[in-house]
Amino acid sequence: MADSAITKWIARPGVSFATRYGLALASVTGALLLELLFRYFDLPHPFAAFALSAIAVTFWYAGTKPGIVAVLLSSLIRGFIVEGATSSLSRALYNLVFLLFAVLMIWVKTVKGCSRGRGRGPNGKADCGE
């Protein structure tokens, strides 16, 4: 399957720091805005699902480090804004879910890069866990 135009545009070497990390901020902000909209209309509060989607989009299009920023932002927003009065056990479990999802996305990005021949180190050898 061919990469999309967005993936090629963001993955190019000259894409700025602000673009990649801006995607992390924008996607998590979008998840928060959707949560607040759902809250306004008395609908269920699926912030976790929106946040996981934002994390996946950030990992896929912007890379690992911006994806980790999206995980941290999602955890902070969920813990202090969306569900401020929850128990510490609930916060810990949701943070664990976000962390496991981040590890899964890092693994998927690594496997995808190796399967397409992008897992080459600076010396030209495969850097795919072989």
Side-chain angles (χ1 to χ4, degrees):
M1 176 170 25
D3 286 338
S4 70
I6 295 172
T7 304
K8 289 179 183 176
W9 181 77
I10 290 181
R12 72 179 202 258
V15 173
S16 70
F17 176 86
T19 303
R20 289 182 285 122
Y21 287 90
L23 178 63
L25 182 63
S27 63
V28 174
T29 301
L32 175 62
L33 291 175
L34 282 172
E35 167 65 26
L36 295 175
L37 182 69
F38 274 44
R39 185 180 292 177
Y40 177 77
F41 290 112
D42 293 324
L43 296 172
H45 304 286
F47 178 74
F50 292 143
L52 290 175
S53 298
I55 291 167
V57 165
T58 304
F59 266 104
W60 194 261
Y61 290 112
T64 302
K65 290 178 184 176
I68 291 171
V69 169
V71 169
L72 294 175
L73 285 173
S74 296
S75 294
L76 289 172
I77 287 173
R78 196 226 165 255
F80 295 108
I81 296 175
V82 175
E83 299 288 334
T86 57
S87 68
S88 58
L89 177 64
S90 174
R91 283 187 189 176
L93 290 175
Y94 269 99
N95 288 339
L96 180 65
V97 167
F98 288 150
L99 177 67
L100 290 175
F101 190 71
V103 169
L104 175 70
M105 289 303 298
I106 291 170
W107 179 75
V108 166
K109 289 282 290 182
T110 303
V111 169
K112 182 189 107 168
C114 288
S115 68
R116 293 188 180 171
R118 295 182 187 158
R120 302 280 176 199
N123 58 2
K125 293 185 178 180
D127 188 21
C128 298
E130 297 172 350

